[in-house]
Amino acid sequence: MARIAGVNIPTNKRVVIALQYIHGIGPKKAGEIVESLKISSERRVQDLSDAEVLQIREMIDRDFIVEGDLRREVAMNIKRLMDLGCYRGLRHRRGLPVRGQRTHTNARTRKGPAKPIAGKKK
């Protein structure tokens, strides 16, 4: 099992797919990594040599912000918005949708399970 950026990537998957297990690397960045290192798109992680794994690891460390650093950066950005007191920060603080979605109905992912109305009885 290859370990890149602190993540054990699966050995039986293609390299492009396996790289996407790293937080901060999606299909586009994974494709760029494989293309720039001239690794075939059909190769599997178990078929990579130690030198190739090392090249991938070095490129990710050099060119991309991934895993813990990325999570920390995103959390700091959200905290900054909340400290500023801007509209987006207030929405984060209240646990409501941030990007203009309606909340009269839906928005259950952000708002949590529906709370019953207290004084209403039939």
Side-chain angles (χ1 to χ4, degrees):
M1 178 140 328
R3 189 166 177 86
I4 299 174
V7 177
N8 292 329
I9 60 174
T11 55
N12 56 343
K13 294 191 182 288
R14 291 187 301 120
V15 178
V16 176
I17 303 300
L19 286 175
Q20 294 177 41
Y21 279 70
I22 301 170
H23 180 76
I25 295 183
K28 187 168 172 56
K29 287 184 182 177
E32 288 173 7
I33 292 167
V34 170
E35 189 177 308
S36 67
L37 296 177
K38 295 180 177 54
I39 297 172
S40 170
S41 62
E42 298 302 315
R43 298 268 303 274
R44 304 214 174 247
V45 175
Q46 62 197 6
D47 300 335
L48 293 176
S49 67
D50 290 340
E52 288 172 322
V53 172
L54 186 64
Q55 279 182 322
I56 292 172
R57 190 178 298 133
E58 287 173 349
M59 182 174 186
I60 289 173
D61 288 343
R62 183 181 64 235
D63 298 338
F64 301 105
I65 300 172
V66 292
E67 283 302 318
D69 294 336
L70 180 62
R71 291 179 205 272
R72 194 174 308 108
E73 185 176 315
V74 169
M76 290 302 294
N77 289 340
I78 292 171
K79 186 176 182 320
R80 178 180 51 82
L81 290 171
M82 289 166 60
D83 291 344
L84 283 173
C86 66
Y87 181 78
R88 283 172 55 202
L90 295 175
R91 302 298 282 183
H92 273 291
R93 192 178 303 154
R94 291 181 185 153
L96 293 169
V98 177
R99 297 187 177 180
Q101 297 91 333
R102 65 181 285 130
T103 57
H104 178 72
T105 59
N106 304 332
R108 280 289 140 218
T109 301
R110 285 291 291 186
K111 290 167 69 175
K115 299 163 199 76
I117 300 171
K120 198 143 186 178
K121 289 186 180 178
K122 278 193 171 182

